[in-house]
Amino acid sequence: MMRQSSAELSDTPLPQFEGGRHGKSARGSENDVKKRQFQRTTKPKPRPYGLEIDELEALGTQMTAEFSEAVIMGQFKPIVHEDGEEVHEIHFAFSSGRKVLYQRYLNVDLRAPKALQGSKLWSRRDAAMAELQKERGLVFKDDNERNQYLAVSSGLLRSIPDDIIFIAGDRDDNILVYLDPIAVPVAFGNEVKARMERESIRFFSLKKPELNKRDVRHASQQRHRERNGFSQDQCGVDHLGIEHPTGHPTGTIVRTSEFTKLLSDTKRQMYLYYLEDTVGTMSRLLDFQFGFLDPQLRQEYRDVYEASPKFAKLPPTNPDWCPESYTYRAIVVNMQTDYHVDKTDWDRGLVALCQIGKFEGAAMVLRDLGIVLDGYKSGATLQFRGNIFGHYTTEWTGKCRFAFDHTTKNTVRKEVQENIAADDAAQGDSEAADDGLLPATTEGSDRESDVNHAQLVVNKPKRRQADSAPLKRKEAPSDFAPAEDTDTEPPPPTATGTKRLRLNPVNVSPKEASAAEDYSEATD
């Protein structure tokens, strides 16, 4: 008999009973049936999506500790490369049994003003590629074809095994790359992965993806469509979230045009359901991984989401007990991604990716690190510093491919963090005045102006440490179904006492806030 997963059991309708000969109620009969069904199944292994927030935090802390111990106690083996790149690596395994390959890149320092210190190495690699092209008489139409050959056939880049977790760090073990080739099946099961693929295929057959004709970063898309037989309306990118308008890095934060369009579209409810179900499922997984890779950075992401203008932020995809981390998502549908750098993303932040579909190929190439991630396939998750490292995917063939990018724009980060800092400073001055440490302000004075200035900041999050209780959910944005007001308390804080090995990424220091945007007008 085929065994059922816990997800299938929860969705299986239970037969209704009028009551047995022993006078059991219908409710009691349902519980008996559910108990018998559970007893006939093998108890599934704990999966991250089914854990409460304190259990998730504890699991993340455990993985962080295991990784830290492996890096501190492990014997690193140097990798010799002809181009002179300095890389050390170790192999270890998490307590779950998952095998890990960790590589330390000594030519990269995330804290330095210029993180990539090995420019000579890449110029040598380019020179080697030019020499190889001359020897083999290769002729490329453009740089995209050249990049594809470099990744697949040149032998100049290292291929990372596709059956293990891969982690890359800089010289101080700050996380640069994290790849889990089977993250979705391990976390949710193959049934959930198959359902996510079916829902994505169905959804984008009803709602065509947006095609940005001005996007010149993916020039090889036409050849890709011809090779796979895709029509133009089967390929595109939906950009959902908040940003500053192009050419205006300061000022009013607005929704993306696609997000604004879907809110007024007849398919609005269908889109919101898709965001909450399929996109939300992978968002929770990526958020969990983010938490043990760099918990301090994740807290900064969460603070920015919470303090973003309510009228513009994405609808929540996580349950109430799990705060949101990302203010911007891009859903890439059947596209060929050419070489580019995500210059507008969070400075030195982690962009989180997940892809599903029915395809072969589409390996992620991080040319600056000299690696090809063949494990980036359907059901994989990938987090890396996309704001620093140029990247592209190899050519792929198949029926469909959906890639989901989770990030926050750097201009949004800077403005929101400046507003938070200004609000904290004004609040501190106000408290000092109440305590008699500062003179009382008079109407129209500069001090009163500062306090009013701080009140313009909306949804300011509660300041807390990374290991304290999670933020309580704010009221839902007005464009979506309002959340019910509950008096439930957040879960108790988790005791973490584990030393974090990775350093908090260095961001550009925000300038002193000169004028805050009046978000209250926009919310009206």
Side-chain angles (χ1 to χ4, degrees), residues 145-158:
E145 281 194 352
R146 179 178 180 273
N147 287 335
Q148 293 296 327
Y149 189 88
L150 174 66
V152 178
S153 306
S154 68
L156 298 178
L157 302 182
R158 303 185 307 280

Side-chain angles (χ1 to χ4, degrees), residues 72-347:
I72 295 174
M73 304 299 295
Q75 298 294 325
F76 280 82
K77 176 184 176 181
I79 304 176
V80 180
H81 296 287
E82 295 181 357
D83 57 12
E85 190 169 9
E86 296 183 69
V87 180
H88 294 173
E89 70 177 21
I90 57 171
H91 292 262
F92 67 96
F94 286 123
S95 58
S96 61
R98 301 291 307 280
K99 297 181 179 179
V100 181
L101 168 62
Y102 175 66
Q103 291 186 347
R104 178 187 291 159
Y105 288 76
L106 303 181
N107 297 102
V108 182
D109 184 0
L110 195 62
R111 299 172 302 174
K114 185 178 180 181
L116 303 178
Q117 302 296 322
S119 57
K120 292 183 179 180
L121 302 178
W122 302 303
S123 62
R124 292 175 186 172
R125 190 174 294 126
D126 287 341
M129 182 61 191
E131 183 178 353
L132 187 66
Q133 181 176 347
K134 183 178 180 180
E135 290 178 357
R136 300 182 182 180
L138 303 174
V139 178
F140 302 114
K141 295 180 181 179
D142 50 36
D143 288 339
N144 295 318
E145 281 194 352
R146 179 178 180 273
N147 287 335
Q148 293 296 327
Y149 189 88
L150 174 66
V152 178
S153 306
S154 68
L156 298 178
L157 302 182
R158 303 185 307 280
S159 181
I160 302 299
D162 62 354
D163 57 348
I164 61 175
I165 294 176
F166 172 72
I167 307 177
D170 71 350
R171 61 178 63 185
D172 295 318
D173 297 314
N174 295 293
I175 296 298
L176 303 176
V177 183
Y178 177 87
L179 170 67
D180 188 342
I182 54 174
V184 174
V186 168
F188 303 105
N190 288 317
E191 299 86 355
V192 174
K193 175 178 175 290
R195 189 198 72 205
M196 294 167 65
E197 292 175 344
R198 290 195 303 269
E199 289 186 354
S200 297
I201 293 173
R202 179 178 179 272
F203 176 78
F204 282 105
S205 66
L206 299 174
K207 188 270 177 193
K208 305 302 180 185
E210 298 293 328
L211 179 64
N212 188 357
K213 298 181 179 180
R214 297 174 298 173
D215 192 350
V216 298
R217 298 185 307 171
H218 311 292
S220 63
Q221 181 62 24
Q222 182 175 354
R223 294 197 302 270
H224 169 70
R225 289 200 305 266
E226 295 174 352
R227 183 171 58 252
N228 287 277
F230 291 128
S231 61
Q232 185 166 332
D233 61 358
Q234 291 178 300
C235 308
V237 184
D238 280 5
H239 300 273
L240 306 174
I242 58 177
E243 62 183 359
H244 285 95
T246 304
H248 301 276
T250 60
T252 304
I253 297 176
V254 299
R255 298 171 177 147
T256 60
S257 59
E258 293 96 323
F259 191 30
T260 302
K261 181 179 178 180
L262 84 87
L263 291 178
S264 60
D265 195 274
T266 56
K267 302 182 181 65
R268 174 178 181 271
Q269 290 301 326
M270 180 181 68
Y271 211 148
L272 294 179
Y273 173 80
Y274 179 70
L275 287 176
E276 180 179 354
D277 186 47
T278 300
V279 180
T281 299
M282 63 184 66
S283 294
R284 289 191 290 276
L285 176 58
L286 293 168
D287 184 83
F288 164 72
Q289 294 174 344
F290 197 176
F292 74 81
L293 291 174
D294 199 325
Q296 294 176 339
L297 181 61
R298 184 183 68 169
Q299 187 56 51
E300 293 183 30
Y301 272 63
R302 287 180 170 182
D303 288 347
V304 169
Y305 178 92
E306 197 68 21
S308 296
K310 184 174 66 175
F311 79 94
K313 69 170 60 173
L314 277 169
T317 59
N318 285 342
D320 291 338
W321 51 261
C322 185
E324 295 285 328
S325 297
Y326 308 101
T327 65
Y328 192 95
R329 290 179 177 87
I331 306 178
V332 183
V333 182
N334 295 331
M335 291 283 287
Q336 178 68 51
T337 306
D338 296 332
Y339 180 86
H340 67 283
V341 180
D342 299 323
K343 295 181 179 180
T344 61
D345 284 1
W346 188 297
D347 185 29

Side-chain angles (χ1 to χ4, degrees), residues 18-26 28-29:
E18 297 297 333
R21 60 183 178 180
H22 299 293
K24 291 184 178 180
S25 64
S29 300

